[in-house]
Amino acid sequence: MVEINKSMTIGEVLMIDWDVAPVFMEFGMHCLGCPASSGESIEQAAMVHGIDADKLIDALNEYFANK
């Protein structure tokens, strides 16, 4: 089972399964291909976008648990 954590990058998560992209988009993260997606952690990206990182991580892990 895949477990996502806040220190992972968006790029790392997308490399595991590109179909998870809509989860990021639901949280307002639409620039999934931007350079920052492979250089900053999910926690850092969430902070920049004003998103609750814990809620995003929960949603990502729920996606993978139900896959």
Side-chain angles (χ1 to χ4, degrees):
M1 182 174 119
V2 175
E3 185 165 341
I4 307 303
N5 63 66
K6 290 188 268 190
S7 67
M8 296 174 77
T9 66
I10 294 169
E12 288 174 320
V13 177
L14 292 173
M15 285 177 60
I16 295 168
D17 184 353
W18 181 257
D19 290 337
V20 74
V23 177
F24 286 106
M25 291 184 188
E26 287 173 19
F27 279 82
M29 297 179 132
H30 300 279
C31 309
L32 301 179
C34 75
S37 70
S38 62
E40 63 187 11
S41 69
I42 293 172
E43 184 172 38
Q44 292 167 324
M47 192 176 359
V48 168
H49 289 277
I51 297 167
D52 183 327
D54 292 321
K55 287 183 181 178
L56 175 56
I57 294 298
D58 289 345
L60 292 168
N61 281 316
E62 182 178 339
Y63 167 85
F64 284 107
N66 293 320
K67 187 157 171 75

